[in-house]
Amino acid sequence: MYKRLIILSVIILAALCGLTWMGYHSIRIRAQGLQGARLGEFAAVAEQIRQDVTRKLDEFMQTEQNRPYTDYQYYYVPENVAPGQQQMPVLRSPLAGRLEQGLAYGNFQIEPDGGVITPNDNVDQRQDLAESDKDLYAKAGLNRKNIEDNLLPAMRGTVPGSLKMNLYSQGGIAPPAESETVQPGRLSKETSQKSKSSQNYPIESLQSKDLKTQVYRQRREVFEQNVLSNTAAQPQQQQAQQTEAQIEQAGGPDRQQAASINESQTETVQVRIEPFFPVVVPGGQTSGDPALQQAESIFGGQVFLLRHVQIEDRHLLQGFQLNETKLVEQIEESASRFMREGMSFELSPGANTRDPQGTYAAILNFGFGDLVLNLKEIDPGWIGKEIRHLRIWYFSIIAIVLLAVTLGLASLWRNATAQIRLTQKKDDFISAVSHELRTPLTSIRMYSEMLEKNWVKSQDKAAEYYTNMRQESERLSRLIENVLDFSRIQRGRKKYAFNAGDINKSVADVVEMMRPYALLKGFSIRTEPAPIEQATFDADAVTQIIVNLLDNAIKYARGAEDKTIIVRTKTDGKFTLIEVEDHGPGIPHRQRNKIFGQFYRPAAEATRETTGTGLGLALVKKFAEAHNGFVEIISAKPTGAIFRVALATQT
Ligand code: ADP
C-alpha cells in the first residue's frame, strides 16, 4: 500500500517538474515569437508607409509630368478655341498667382540663354497690386533669385548633354569645370551609410523609373497679333497629354506679347518632354518658402525636380523646388495612419542619424537623399512585462496545482494510514471477540460437563456452578448485544424507542441485575437516585449504557482499595444525568477523547491485563448522542473516574 503510494507520488511530482520545465521553455519561445512578430509588424508598417508615400508621390509626379509645358509661362494661348473664334486673348498660366501646389514650390523655366522665367513674372510691376499680392510677388522674386544664385551655378555638369550644349552655346550657363558629364541626381559627394539593422525602402517615384519621355507633334501657327485662331492639335503620343499648341513663342511674357508677327504661316512642330530628374543643391535653405524656412534641409540641400523640354531645336528646363516641409508632412500623415498599437515614429534625415533607441529604422530612399523613419515602441519593455505576467500566471497555476497535488497526496497518505489502522483494529477486534466468546463458553462447557457427569457431590458447589454458568451466559449476551448494536449503528439500522418513563427505576433494575456479578468480583454498588419525575429515553439503550459502564468499572478498578461503585442520577433541567463512579486508576486526560473511539484500547497495563473489544464506550457515546446528549469523564476523589452520561430531557 505504502509502496504504491510512494510510486504514485514520485510519478506525479516528476510530471509536475516536467510540466514546469515545459512551461518555462514555452514562455521563452513565446517571448522570442513576440519579438519576432513585433519586428515583422514594424517591417510591415514601414512597407505600408513606403507604399503610401510612393503612391502619393506617384500621383503627384504623374500630375506634374502631365502638366502642359505652357503652364510654366506667365501667358499662354489656349489651344481649344473653336475655329472662327479668332478674337481670343492669351491667358494667364494656371500656376500664376501662387507659389505652392502639392509638393511643388515655385515653378520655373530656364531659358536656353540661362534666363529664368516663372508664371509670376512681371506682376510686381503692376500698379494695382493688392497688399496680399505684394507679399506673394516678393516671395516669387526671392524664389527666382534663389534659382539664379544657387541652382544655376550648381547645375554645371549635371544637365543632360544636349541641353547642356544648347545652354552653354547660348552663353547663359557657365560650362562645367570638369569635362565629364555628371549624371542627374544628387550633387553632393556624400554617400549614405546604411545601418546594418536598418531596412532600405527605395521610393521609385522620384527616381524617374516610371516616367517616360513624351514626344508629340502639333500644328504651329504664328499670328499677326495677340489673338489666336487655333486649330486642333494632333498629338502622336500620350493621348492624355493636352495638346499645348502654338507655343512657338514660348519663352516668356515678353515673347508672348511679341506674338504680333506680321506673317501667317502654319507648320508642324515636334515637342519632346523628358521625365523629371532630381537635382540637389547642397547647403542653402530647406524647401518651401525660402524667405521663411531657415531650418537646415533634411536632404542636405534644396531638392529641385527638372525636366528637359525640347520644342524643335529649342531646349528648355522646367521644374520646381520640392516642398520638403510638405513632403515630411505627407510622410508623417502616412506614418500616423499605419502606426499600430504601442508604436510611435520619428523622422530624421540621413541613414547615419538612426535613433539608437529606435526599435526599427526604415530608410526611405528618395534617390537624392535618405530619410530615416525611426519606428519605436512607446513602451520598449512591454514584451518583457507581458512575459513576466505570463510567468507569474503560469507559475502561480503550477504552485496551486502543486499545492492541490500535495494536499491530495497527504490526504491519500492519511486515508491509507487510517485504513491500515482500521484493518489492524478490526483484526484486533476479531481476535478480541473470539477471545471474549471463548472464555465464557469454556467455563460454561466445563461446569456443565462436571454437573452432567455428577462429579459435583456438594449441593452448594453445584449451585455455585449453576450461578457461574448463568453469569457467563449473561456476559456472553452482553458481548453479543454490544457487537450486534455496533453493527446496527454502523449500517444505520439501529432503531430507538424513546418513551417517557422512570429513569431511576431503569437504573435500579440494571444495578440489581449486575449486583451479583459485581459481588462476585468483590465490588459493592451504591445507587444515589435524584428525584426525577419523568424522563424520555430508550430503555434498552440506557440499560446497555449502565451495563457497559459497570462492566468497565468492575474490570478496570479491580485492583482498587475502595471497591465501591456509585451509580447516580441527576438532572439540570435540560439533561438527565447518569453517573457511574469507581475508584480505580481513572482515565488520564490525554486519553479522555480517544477512549470513545471504535476498537480503541490504550496500551495501559490495566487494559492489557483484561480482555475487551474496545466497543463498550464507543456504544455509550453513540447512545448518548442518540438522546441528543453527550458523555464526559470527571476525575473521582481520591482516585478513579466518573463517567457522566447526559440524556436530553426532550429528545
Ligand atoms: P474495552 O473495555 O472492551 O477495552 P471500552 O470501550 O469499554 O473497551 O473501553 C475502552 C478503554 O477505556 C478500555 O480499554 C480502558 O482502557 C479504558 N476504560 C474504560 N473504562 C474505564 C474505567 N472505569 N477505568 C479505567 N479505564 C477505563
Side-chain angles (χ1 to χ4, degrees):
M1 183 83 153
Y2 282 122
K3 204 173 152 191
R4 266 192 234 157
L5 258 178
I6 290 170
I7 293 170
L8 186 72
S9 307
V10 168
I11 290 172
I12 291 175
L13 288 176
L16 267 177
C17 286
L19 213 65
T20 312
W21 185 84
M22 272 167 59
Y24 179 78
H25 276 271
S26 305
I27 290 172
R28 255 184 51 188
I29 290 166
R30 164 100 179 123
Q32 286 166 359
L34 268 181
Q35 277 158 358
R38 194 60 172 166
L39 216 60
E41 271 185 10
F42 274 110
V45 166
E47 176 58 20
Q48 281 171 328
I49 295 169
R50 183 196 73 83
Q51 281 183 11
D52 199 49
V53 171
T54 307
R55 182 186 56 75
K56 284 175 182 170
L57 280 175
D58 275 346
E59 282 171 14
F60 167 71
M61 289 305 291
Q62 207 64 51
T63 314
E64 287 309 311
Q65 187 65 26
N66 290 338
R67 182 176 294 290
Y69 66 88
T70 50
D71 280 8
Y72 285 81
Q73 290 139 30
Y74 186 59
Y75 288 111
Y76 76 102
V77 180
E79 162 274 324
N80 54 345
V81 179
Q85 245 188 317
Q86 302 283 327
Q87 299 298 311
M88 184 71 191
V90 289
L91 294 182
R92 274 182 71 180
S93 159
L95 295 176
R98 57 194 168 123
L99 279 167
E100 288 187 34
Q101 45 121 31
L103 296 173
Y105 182 86
N107 299 62
F108 58 86
Q109 177 173 295
I110 301 173
E111 293 292 292
D113 62 358
V116 176
I117 61 166
T118 79
N120 292 309
D121 275 338
N122 282 355
V123 179
D124 50 348
Q125 293 161 13
R126 280 167 50 184
Q127 299 303 312
D128 56 344
L129 270 183
E131 210 45 46
S132 57
D133 287 347
K134 279 183 183 162
D135 182 46
L136 169 78
Y137 292 117
K139 283 182 191 169
L142 283 173
N143 180 44
R144 163 198 268 278
K145 192 167 156 28
N146 178 39
I147 293 158
E148 286 166 354
D149 293 354
N150 296 312
L151 178 63
L152 291 184
M155 274 178 56
R156 291 173 183 168
T158 61
V159 290
S162 55
L163 176 63
K164 182 178 68 182
M165 284 179 66
N166 191 293
L167 286 171
Y168 300 154
S169 68
Q170 301 282 330
I173 300 174
E178 300 159 28
S179 56
E180 59 180 303
T181 302
V182 183
Q183 286 303 309
R186 193 173 178 78
L187 293 178
S188 167
K189 296 279 179 207
E190 177 192 324
T191 50
S192 302
Q193 287 173 1
K194 293 174 183 68
S195 163
K196 276 182 193 164
S197 62
S198 306
Q199 283 277 344
N200 201 352
Y201 289 91
I203 309 284
E204 297 89 356
S205 311
L206 294 186
Q207 296 175 25
S208 311
K209 199 173 143 193
D210 298 326
L211 300 175
K212 292 190 179 75
T213 301
Q214 309 163 53
V215 180
Y216 56 91
R217 291 179 186 283
Q218 60 187 170
R219 185 166 296 175
R220 175 173 62 180
E221 292 183 21
V222 179
F223 303 98
E224 292 180 359
Q225 49 187 327
N226 191 13
V227 290
L228 164 75
S229 167
N230 198 9
T231 52
Q234 294 176 356
Q236 292 182 347
Q237 291 183 15
Q238 292 289 333
Q239 289 190 354
Q241 170 71 30
Q242 284 185 20
T243 54
E244 290 77 27
Q246 81 279 326
I247 307 302
E248 201 283 320
Q249 64 269 50
D254 49 342
R255 287 165 183 261
Q256 285 174 336
Q257 281 162 11
S260 321
I261 299 168
N262 196 13
E263 56 178 315
S264 180
Q265 56 180 8
T266 301
E267 59 179 288
T268 302
V269 293
Q270 179 173 287
V271 180
R272 178 185 160 87
I273 302 177
E274 287 178 17
F276 279 100
F277 60 92
V279 173
V280 182
V281 178
Q285 292 148 332
T286 158
S287 63
D289 185 346
L292 300 175
Q293 309 257 352
Q294 295 302 320
E296 210 181 299
S297 162
I298 53 172
F299 295 116
Q302 303 178 56
V303 179
F304 290 92
L305 284 153
L306 301 174
R307 67 180 183 185
H308 174 209
V309 177
Q310 184 181 353
I311 304 160
E312 287 299 306
D313 56 350
R314 273 176 77 77
H315 294 272
L316 305 167
L317 275 182
Q318 292 187 333
F320 51 85
Q321 189 178 352
L322 188 72
N323 192 336
E324 195 179 286
T325 316
K326 281 271 159 59
L327 178 66
V328 169
E329 275 172 21
Q330 293 288 317
I331 297 168
E332 283 176 346
E333 191 273 326
S334 298
S336 53
R337 202 142 40 83
F338 292 110
M339 213 50 39
R340 297 196 193 167
E341 205 188 332
M343 290 184 186
S344 68
F345 72 93
E346 222 170 56
L347 274 176
S348 43
N352 48 359
T353 55
R354 196 169 68 92
D355 187 346
Q357 297 297 315
T359 312
Y360 192 87
I363 301 167
L364 301 179
N365 171 9
F366 287 93
F368 50 80
D370 295 338
L371 209 67
V372 179
L373 189 68
N374 279 309
L375 295 169
K376 294 201 239 183
E377 295 282 12
I378 291 175
D379 176 9
W382 74 270
I383 292 182
K385 276 183 204 157
E386 196 161 310
I387 293 301
R388 263 197 300 286
H389 280 143
L390 209 64
R391 276 210 186 106
I392 290 170
W393 268 106
Y394 184 76
F395 288 114
S396 304
I397 290 169
I398 288 282
I400 291 168
V401 171
L402 192 70
L403 190 75
V405 166
T406 312
L407 288 176
L409 283 176
S411 145
L412 264 179
W413 274 90
R414 269 186 62 178
N415 281 352
T417 313
Q419 198 69 34
I420 288 165
R421 277 206 205 115
L422 194 69
T423 312
Q424 184 69 41
K425 276 184 186 174
K426 277 185 180 164
D427 289 349
D428 292 352
F429 168 73
I430 289 166
S431 74
V433 168
S434 318
H435 185 75
E436 288 280 282
L437 288 174
R438 201 183 303 125
T439 315
L441 279 176
T442 311
S443 303
I444 293 168
R445 204 177 63 208
M446 190 185 75
Y447 291 131
S448 55
E449 207 174 305
M450 286 168 74
L451 291 168
E452 187 190 25
K453 291 185 178 165
N454 268 333
W455 289 347
V456 184
K457 301 292 173 205
S458 145
Q459 276 295 358
D460 290 345
K461 229 11 174 195
E464 186 192 325
Y465 286 178
Y466 280 122
T467 308
N468 283 350
M469 279 167 67
R470 184 176 56 81
Q471 281 173 352
E472 290 300 317
S473 326
E474 281 169 4
R475 202 174 132 197
L476 260 179
S477 308
R478 287 201 296 274
L479 175 71
I480 290 166
E481 206 56 45
N482 270 352
V483 173
L484 286 178
D485 271 340
F486 175 72
S487 162
R488 278 186 213 117
I489 288 170
Q490 284 296 89
R491 287 181 292 146
R493 297 233 177 121
K494 174 72 185 163
K495 298 267 184 299
Y496 295 93
F498 297 105
N499 294 310
D502 183 351
I503 190 108
N504 285 329
K505 186 175 177 309
S506 292
V507 171
D509 287 350
V510 184
V511 168
E512 287 319 311
M513 186 184 81
M514 290 292 288
R515 197 184 294 281
Y517 177 66
L519 271 175
L520 192 73
K521 301 287 178 181
F523 283 86
S524 64
I525 305 176
R526 194 172 78 220
T527 52
E528 293 178 1
I532 301 168
E533 283 188 4
Q534 240 188 12
T536 305
F537 58 93
D538 178 298
D540 287 344
V542 167
T543 304
Q544 196 121 357
I545 288 170
I546 299 165
V547 165
N548 283 351
L549 292 177
L550 282 175
D551 204 27
N552 278 352
I554 294 164
K555 267 201 292 188
Y556 299 110
R558 65 182 182 281
E561 281 181 20
D562 182 357
K563 290 197 174 176
T564 313
I565 299 169
I566 305 161
V567 180
R568 273 186 212 101
T569 55
K570 286 182 178 175
T571 181
D572 63 359
K574 222 171 154 194
F575 293 102
T576 303
L577 307 172
I578 303 168
E579 288 181 359
V580 176
E581 178 180 337
D582 66 57
H583 300 97
I587 313 282
H589 278 275
R590 64 176 185 285
Q591 282 179 6
R592 286 188 180 177
N593 282 329
K594 291 183 186 167
I595 57 171
F596 294 102
Q598 302 161 10
F599 313 121
Y600 182 79
R601 303 200 78 222
E605 205 183 338
T607 310
R608 264 188 280 120
E609 287 169 1
T610 57
T611 55
T613 57
L615 279 183
L617 289 182
L619 282 171
V620 169
K621 188 173 180 228
K622 293 269 184 220
F623 291 146
E625 286 169 356
H627 286 78
N628 292 331
F630 58 89
V631 57
E632 61 183 348
I633 300 167
I634 302 157
S635 301
K637 297 231 168 87
T639 56
I642 302 171
F643 284 85
R644 176 182 288 164
V645 181
L647 310 176
T649 320
Q650 301 293 327
T651 51

